[in-house]
Amino acid sequence: MYNRTVLHVTMIAALLFLCGFSARQALPTALQQPEKIDTQEVYENKPAASLVGEFRTTLASYLFGKAHEYLHGGVIFRAATDAELERGVRTASHGDGMQEHHGAVPQTSVVPEPERDFRFPWGWIERNTQPYMDIRSHGHRDLAEALPLFRMMTWSDPHFVEAYSMGAYLIFCAHNGKRKDEAMDFLQEGIRNNPNSYVLHGDAAQFYSQYYRDYERSIQHGVRAIEILQGLPQDAYDPTQAEQILNRLVLAYRLKKDRENEIAWARRGLQMFPLSPVCRNTFRRYGIPLPRLAPAPGSPAGAL
Amino acid sequence: MGYAIEVEDLVIQYTRSGQETFRAVDGLSFRVQEGEIVGFLGVNGAGKTSTIKALMGFQPPHSGQIRLFGAPVDLATSREQVGFLPETALYSPYLTPAETLHLHGALHGIEPATRERRVMELLAQVGLAEKARTLNRALSKGMLQRVGIAQALLSRPRLLILDEVSSGLDPIGRRDLRRLLKEEQHRGCTIFFSSHQLSEVETICDRILILHQGRLIAERAMLEIMGRVPSLEDYFVTLVETGQDLLDQREEVRL
Amino acid sequence: MNRTWQIAHAMTVASLLETVRRRELYVLLILVVVMTVAARAFTVFGVTGLEMFVKDMAFTGVGMFSTIIGVLIAARQLPEEIQRRTIYPMLARPITRWQFLVAKFLAAWSSAYLCFLVLNLAALLLLLALRIPVRLIFVQHLVLKAFAFSWLSGFTICLTIYMSPGAAATVAMLLSFGSGVFARAFTMTYVGHPLLNIPVNIVYALLPHYSLFDLTAKVVYDWDPIHPAVMLFLMLYGVGIGLFWLYVGWRRFQTQPI
């Protein structure tokens, strides 16, 4: 009996030591800023860091998926295939203004809707036993239920930019804008952990402009986002998102009544996005003819 | 009196993938009368266990017929009056001897009230009354063999088929077993058992069957053997190793 | 029939005793409690509003562990008896192999379901203690899972007759955990064609559908109870498919040398 107890205590101690050692090995990548440390090198040289790091990102991704499920009462979505889109599959759209969380790709539910389900009676059974709803113009559960998950996923992986971006948006939406400071704190934490993320700077620019009417800070973040974008290759960013950041920056200057900079940024914006309505509107507002622009070399953002 | 066991031209063969067919039992025929104690002898691999498995319906024969009390063994009812002890069965480590016997009693269809009485009686008989509520995993191999003997006797069978019955038993256990088997015989039970303990066979059996390479090479009453050869062991070893039946030689000399 | 029930009852009692006396149920019980409490423990760090997450962790753990234990219990029913050589004195009784197999099936089924109920009870009590409510659909979940274990037990026992216990357990786990994934892949890749729909539907019906019995997600997200007709269909399907697999196993077991 005594021997067994000693064995168990020894095993637990060994396990704790292993956990502690692994955590310590993983810490540099978690706590230090990406630009100060070569993350890849740490992962390559320290297996424990790689293993724990993998676990952390996997956990964060799992929680992100869960958050999506929570918002839809357990209904699971997936990207619709081209064949399904051709057949007119139901795709997700919103009835409550929560537009942002399904991304750019049309999504459908994993449980097929009755009119395109060949399975009888299995389809009927599945639609009854698994969470299922008509995903067109769908609503959402109380957003507050999903918020703790965003807190957990950013603890698990502080470099999970999408979690900060979506989390801040949900905090704001969940409380009808009453907790905008909380949302902004969350976003700022994301920026501190990911200073080179154009997405988070872009979000901060939008928050300051739209919810605080603080155009000065909005411009600071917008400019920083554009600076980051300039250094990225073309396939490293979403052009739609980049155009939105640029448009917001131009609008922030307009709302700040800084005509000179508004025109300057609209001119630079048109080089990247020649059809941008916001940039074109700037020239139209002030009666200035649209500039003739040479095609931007390399990365469109580089042209800015 | 009828026959408890009838075996006619029994052939059991195994075919392993990529290998030739192997005949474990080759044209075996014998009968066991009710009330007899018959020892089933043979070296390892002689075909004893295969035959016993066929007797119990565990091993479908390639050809031949087996009847227990006149009923074909493929009928479940043929086993109603049979008690069986396999070689070194390790009863569930998570049950007690009493629970093990209750399970087997229920499988046999013994009524709960009768079962309760019979279980306690048998556990006392095999010397396990004090261990009735101890988990099987805490019992020695010999004790588990006693549990096995008790389960074989549970239904008051008219035929007992025992495979290597004394395996794992200490000298006292063997003595108790001999006494128990004799008591069962007095009750009218037929006993058919395989064993390598020839001294034990000598003292218990009425008759022996010796199997070698799947064939029956001798079928003798113990009275024929006793006093005419030094021991059963001498008879058996000579027969199996040289193919000479010492009893036939004596008869030849006498002639 | 009475005799079959008598045999099944005896075998079930023995199996339940074994299940309770083995340590694995307690280990799983501890794991469920640890998972639930750990999920709740985030409140210590200031994360509030985790009710849904805690419930999700608790019932996901219960579903996962009970499936694992259900497979393990069913996978050892026959092989362990053969390995211990205790199948001989059992089949030496005046019982048919079909009766033996049905008894083993009911023993595996009831033991697995007992584990499921114990784990669920622990999760429920824990959730109630944490003031996290559970809705009426939970009762349907408990009932329906009984029939899921019929599928699982029959299928796994059948597999142990045709393959080694390890392989049987692996295949059973893959199909029970993966049945939902297979179904999703099927519905996603099959485009649909009027002529092919009937044969494809038949093929689909032959695939395992363990995941259809699982109301965990609806319990976690507080959905309304499901339609009684669906319950009835799944009950009949569960019993039918369990017995079907048992019959497939018996076809071989009845003449199999032991």
Side-chain angles (χ1 to χ4, degrees):
Chain A
M1 190 66 191
Y2 174 75
N3 285 343
R4 283 181 72 180
T5 312
V6 170
L7 182 71
H8 289 163
V9 170
T10 313
M11 280 171 66
I12 291 167
L15 198 66
L16 285 173
F17 174 76
L18 194 69
C19 291
F21 179 76
S22 305
R24 187 167 165 71
Q25 292 296 302
L27 277 177
T29 48
L31 295 183
Q32 295 195 33
Q33 306 298 0
E35 75 271 19
K36 292 179 189 168
I37 189 165
D38 189 341
T39 313
Q40 197 59 36
E41 197 181 309
V42 174
Y43 280 137
E44 280 170 6
N45 293 333
K46 293 183 176 177
S50 177
L51 193 69
V52 178
E54 193 69 40
F55 171 74
R56 295 156 69 102
T57 50
T58 306
L59 177 67
S61 304
Y62 168 78
L63 291 172
F64 192 75
K66 274 284 161 200
H68 197 278
E69 271 182 56
Y70 281 20
L71 290 175
H72 298 98
V75 178
I76 304 172
F77 290 75
R78 64 168 170 82
T81 63
D82 290 342
E84 284 172 330
L85 291 172
E86 274 175 31
R87 284 164 56 219
V89 68
R90 288 181 191 173
T91 50
S93 58
H94 307 273
D96 58 4
M98 277 280 302
Q99 306 295 342
E100 303 225 353
H101 70 288
H102 282 301
V105 184
Q107 287 191 321
T108 186
S109 59
V110 294
V111 180
E113 64 264 27
E115 60 264 29
R116 68 172 185 94
D117 196 348
F118 67 91
R119 304 169 303 158
F120 180 80
W122 309 104
W124 169 65
I125 296 291
E126 194 178 18
R127 277 185 293 280
N128 274 279
T129 60
Q130 304 305 311
Y132 170 79
M133 65 179 174
D134 188 338
I135 56 173
R136 295 169 299 187
S137 300
H138 68 264
H140 297 91
R141 291 176 65 97
D142 182 2
L143 301 181
E145 287 174 348
L147 294 180
L149 292 188
F150 284 91
R151 179 69 277 171
M152 281 156 66
M153 64 184 92
T154 53
W155 275 352
S156 173
D157 182 5
H159 305 313
F160 194 3
V161 168
E162 209 174 348
Y164 279 115
S165 174
M166 180 70 72
Y169 177 68
L170 289 181
I171 293 171
F172 183 82
C173 292
H175 305 289
N176 298 322
K178 286 176 189 162
R179 294 198 189 167
K180 61 181 180 185
D181 290 345
E182 210 176 296
M184 183 49 87
D185 285 348
F186 193 65
L187 205 51
Q188 290 297 349
E189 180 192 312
I191 290 172
R192 277 196 303 280
N193 288 329
N194 305 277
N196 287 333
S197 166
Y198 77 91
V199 174
L200 295 179
H201 281 290
D203 286 346
Q206 183 195 359
F207 267 61
Y208 278 123
S209 164
Q210 205 168 330
Y211 307 134
Y212 286 87
R213 312 277 174 211
D214 184 344
Y215 305 114
E216 190 58 48
R217 284 193 183 179
S218 174
I219 288 166
Q220 279 173 16
H221 283 287
V223 169
R224 177 71 190 124
I226 299 290
E227 279 171 9
I228 295 165
L229 276 168
Q230 281 175 315
L232 294 176
Q234 194 172 351
D235 56 358
Y237 61 85
D238 176 7
T240 315
Q241 227 169 356
E243 186 181 349
Q244 281 174 356
I245 291 169
L246 187 83
N247 288 344
R248 277 194 212 105
L249 182 61
V250 172
L251 283 172
Y253 276 117
R254 186 184 301 167
L255 291 165
K256 199 189 160 199
K257 302 190 187 331
D258 184 344
R259 182 177 158 168
E260 194 181 333
N261 275 315
E262 183 192 347
I263 294 169
W265 276 102
R267 191 183 301 277
R268 291 169 72 176
L270 283 175
Q271 280 185 307
M272 186 180 176
F273 307 106
L275 299 176
S276 163
V278 174
C279 297
R280 282 169 169 264
N281 191 31
T282 296
F283 287 94
R284 211 172 293 125
R285 278 169 69 94
Y286 303 117
I288 304 169
L290 278 171
R292 291 190 169 202
L293 302 166
S299 155
L304 293 170
Chain B
M1 260 199 204
Y3 292 107
I5 303 173
E6 292 170 272
V7 176
E8 282 172 36
D9 289 326
L10 179 68
V11 176
I12 299 170
Q13 59 185 33
Y14 302 106
T15 309
R16 291 194 178 87
S17 55
Q19 288 182 3
E20 284 182 12
T21 303
F22 164 69
R23 281 202 169 188
V25 177
D26 192 3
L28 178 66
S29 297
F30 66 87
R31 287 173 176 180
V32 176
Q33 275 207 325
E34 284 188 46
E36 270 192 306
I37 300 187
V38 176
F40 194 44
L41 312 181
V43 294
N44 291 333
K48 298 189 302 294
T49 299
S50 292
T51 306
I52 288 177
K53 281 185 176 181
L55 282 179
M56 298 308 304
F58 304 148
Q59 170 73 51
H62 179 67
S63 65
Q65 288 198 337
I66 307 169
R67 281 183 293 275
L68 302 178
F69 297 108
V73 287
D74 46 1
L75 292 179
T77 48
S78 71
R79 297 188 290 276
E80 267 172 4
Q81 302 181 77
V82 180
F84 174 66
L85 175 73
E87 187 185 354
T88 56
L90 300 166
Y91 296 92
S92 170
Y94 301 98
L95 297 180
T96 64
E99 287 162 355
T100 306
L101 295 185
H102 270 288
L103 168 65
H104 284 272
L107 293 184
H108 206 98
I110 303 171
E111 289 304 312
T114 319
R115 206 192 308 154
E116 181 65 43
R117 201 173 50 244
R118 184 78 181 130
V119 165
M120 296 322 290
E121 183 186 298
L122 272 171
L123 284 174
Q125 247 180 311
V126 297
L128 285 178
E130 285 177 12
K131 301 280 184 186
R133 309 284 169 208
T134 307
L135 288 182
N136 286 338
R137 65 178 169 195
L139 302 184
S140 67
K141 194 180 168 192
M143 286 175 178
L144 279 178
Q145 187 72 345
R146 286 163 189 249
V147 175
I149 293 166
Q151 72 75 24
L153 298 172
L154 197 61
S155 59
R156 296 186 194 280
R158 280 174 63 204
L159 168 63
L160 265 176
I161 297 177
L162 314 169
D163 194 7
E164 299 293 350
V165 62
S166 51
S167 163
L169 291 180
D170 57 22
I172 295 169
R174 284 183 194 167
R175 185 200 61 196
D176 292 346
L177 175 70
R178 280 197 297 273
R179 199 191 60 228
L180 207 65
L181 293 183
K182 279 292 177 192
E183 279 173 17
E184 287 299 310
Q185 190 189 26
H186 290 315
R187 196 175 56 78
C189 182
T190 309
I191 300 167
F192 181 81
F193 75 101
S194 75
S195 178
H196 290 302
Q197 300 292 330
L198 298 183
S199 56
E200 208 166 73
V201 175
E202 240 174 32
T203 51
I204 303 174
C205 291
D206 301 322
R207 202 153 61 90
I208 56 160
L209 304 173
I210 300 178
L211 201 63
H212 189 59
Q213 292 175 344
R215 291 168 186 271
L216 190 66
I217 56 169
E219 186 175 356
R220 297 281 183 186
M222 279 311 295
L223 286 174
E224 278 184 273
I225 299 169
M226 302 306 288
R228 295 174 64 191
V229 290
S231 68
L232 177 60
E233 190 176 319
D234 288 337
Y235 176 75
F236 175 79
V237 170
T238 311
L239 184 65
V240 169
E241 282 191 343
T242 66
Q244 288 181 327
D245 189 326
L246 292 176
L247 289 176
D248 287 345
Q249 284 175 348
R250 299 266 166 129
E251 276 162 14
E252 277 165 23
V253 170
R254 218 180 286 161
L255 286 169
Chain C
M1 199 61 188
N2 270 347
R3 180 88 181 94
T4 307
W5 281 119
Q6 192 185 13
I7 295 162
H9 177 256
M11 213 84 98
T12 303
V13 169
S15 178
L16 289 175
L17 282 172
E18 273 203 37
T19 306
V20 170
R21 286 171 188 167
R22 279 177 191 261
R23 301 257 167 92
E24 52 205 7
L25 176 61
Y26 305 113
V27 173
L28 296 183
L29 204 57
I30 291 167
L31 279 174
V32 166
V33 172
V34 166
M35 274 176 74
T36 313
V37 171
R40 184 66 174 189
F42 280 95
T43 48
V44 176
F45 303 105
V47 184
T48 52
L50 278 168
E51 287 75 14
M52 193 78 83
F53 181 64
V54 175
K55 211 196 288 188
D56 193 7
M57 286 294 110
F59 288 125
T60 303
V62 168
M64 197 167 66
F65 296 144
S66 57
T67 302
I68 291 171
I69 205 167
V71 169
L72 293 179
I73 287 173
R76 68 178 171 233
Q77 289 297 321
L78 286 180
E80 248 183 30
E81 298 289 5
I82 293 169
Q83 198 187 353
R84 291 180 197 151
R85 304 171 71 85
T86 41
I87 194 167
Y88 298 122
M90 284 180 173
L91 285 179
R93 303 286 164 196
I95 60 175
T96 62
R97 291 202 182 184
W98 171 248
Q99 286 173 324
F100 179 76
L101 210 58
V102 169
K104 278 290 175 195
F105 163 72
L106 290 173
W109 174 84
S110 53
S111 303
Y113 192 54
L114 171 84
C115 293
F116 173 76
L117 287 180
V118 168
L119 292 176
N120 264 293
L121 185 70
L124 181 68
L125 291 176
L126 208 56
L127 290 175
L128 292 178
L130 296 170
R131 295 183 183 176
I132 300 172
V134 174
R135 293 182 65 180
L136 195 62
I137 194 171
F138 180 65
V139 178
Q140 284 187 322
H141 174 57
L142 295 184
V143 173
L144 215 48
K145 206 69 176 187
F147 295 87
F149 281 115
S150 164
W151 178 92
L152 192 65
S153 305
F155 182 65
T156 313
I157 287 177
C158 170
L159 288 179
T160 58
I161 293 167
Y162 286 91
M163 51 182 80
S164 70
T170 308
V171 172
M173 288 220 195
L174 272 177
L175 288 181
S176 47
F177 283 113
S179 65
V181 179
F182 295 146
R184 278 170 199 177
F186 207 103
T187 51
M188 192 170 134
T189 49
Y190 177 64
V191 178
H193 187 281
L195 288 177
L196 282 176
N197 277 357
I198 292 172
V200 166
N201 208 14
I202 292 169
V203 171
Y204 187 87
L206 293 173
L207 290 172
H209 293 297
Y210 183 72
S211 60
L212 288 187
F213 295 90
D214 191 11
L215 294 180
T216 305
K218 283 202 158 186
V219 172
V220 169
Y221 298 108
D222 294 331
W223 285 64
D224 290 332
I226 63 172
H227 198 279
V230 178
M231 287 287 287
L232 186 67
F233 178 89
L234 282 171
M235 286 170 174
L236 293 174
Y237 171 63
V239 172
I241 200 75
L243 288 175
F244 167 76
W245 285 117
L246 210 57
Y247 174 76
V248 173
W250 174 75
R251 291 290 298 170
R252 178 161 181 175
F253 184 62
Q254 65 169 338
T255 53
Q256 193 178 36
I258 299 165

